[in-house]
Amino acid sequence: MALNSYSALKTSIANWLNRSDLTSEISEDFIVLTEKDFNSKLRIRKMVTTDSSFTVDAETVALPSGFLQVRDFYIVNGGVKYALKYITPAQMDQIKGGSSSGQPNTFTIIGDNFRFAPAPSSSYTATLNYYKEFDPLSDSNTTNYILSNHPAIYLYGSLYHAANFLGGVEPARLQQ
């Protein structure tokens, strides 16, 4: 069976498990947990997304949907690129004590927001290159880059989580 769609993947997992009673666990647990593993561990070029019109117009700005990690971030002002330097939230708190406003030159991430210093004195256009989550598989999104190009990773990851669910295999043995 070709692993070329969400439906084919679910069928293959059930076949490998030799079980027909785990339909909801396959789609709602095993595949979802595998995708969570991808998003927490993978950083490949197919995950890089560019937003060349990211607006920095407040001290805090929401992260883009599906954001995982910054690759590079800079403000374009008058045709010149000014790199934004990442600092920790603690460092941001220290410099914000006597802060002013102007063109931001540093950023941090707090929760689901970027925080900039100094606070923007006006609206700036930035380019944000970042790692974005792969779109999860579903009945309406039947494939993605990983399933199309590396289907065995989906199958193995799902079977790994199935083995943990079924409790019949020690997790240490699965990693051999």
Side-chain angles (χ1 to χ4, degrees), residues 2 8 35 50 76-77 84 98 100 102 104 107 116 123 133 151 159 164:
E35 290 172 332
T50 299
V76 180
N77 191 353
L84 292 168
S100 60
F107 76 96
F116 300 96
S123 182
E133 295 176 344
L159 292 173
N164 285 330

Side-chain angles (χ1 to χ4, degrees), residues 45-140:
R45 71 175 175 260
K46 289 294 184 180
M47 297 173 84
V48 175
T49 300
T50 299
D51 182 348
S52 57
S53 60
F54 189 85
T55 303
V56 179
D57 59 358
E59 185 176 337
T60 60
V61 177
L63 298 173
S65 176
F67 174 88
L68 293 172
Q69 180 181 346
V70 171
R71 184 153 187 252
D72 65 312
F73 201 1
Y74 55 89
I75 288 177
V76 180
N77 191 353
V80 179
K81 296 177 182 177
Y82 298 93
L84 292 168
K85 179 183 172 191
Y86 175 81
I87 60 175
T88 67
Q91 291 169 319
M92 178 70 73
D93 290 339
Q94 289 174 347
I95 66 169
K96 290 301 287 181
S99 94
S100 60
S101 63
Q103 179 176 305
N105 55 30
T106 60
F107 76 96
T108 194
I109 298 172
I110 299 176
D112 291 331
N113 295 296
F114 285 115
R115 184 176 176 198
F116 300 96
S121 57
S122 64
S123 182
Y124 296 91
T125 300
T127 296
L128 172 63
N129 294 305
Y130 65 100
Y131 292 96
K132 182 180 181 190
E133 295 176 344
F134 282 111
D135 292 332
L137 296 177
S138 66
D139 291 329
S140 60

Side-chain angles (χ1 to χ4, degrees), residues 3-22:
L3 289 175
N4 57 6
S5 71
Y6 181 55
S7 177
L9 176 62
K10 292 189 296 185
T11 300
S12 186
I13 294 166
N15 289 343
W16 275 78
L17 293 173
N18 197 25
R19 299 281 296 260
S20 60
D21 61 334
L22 297 174

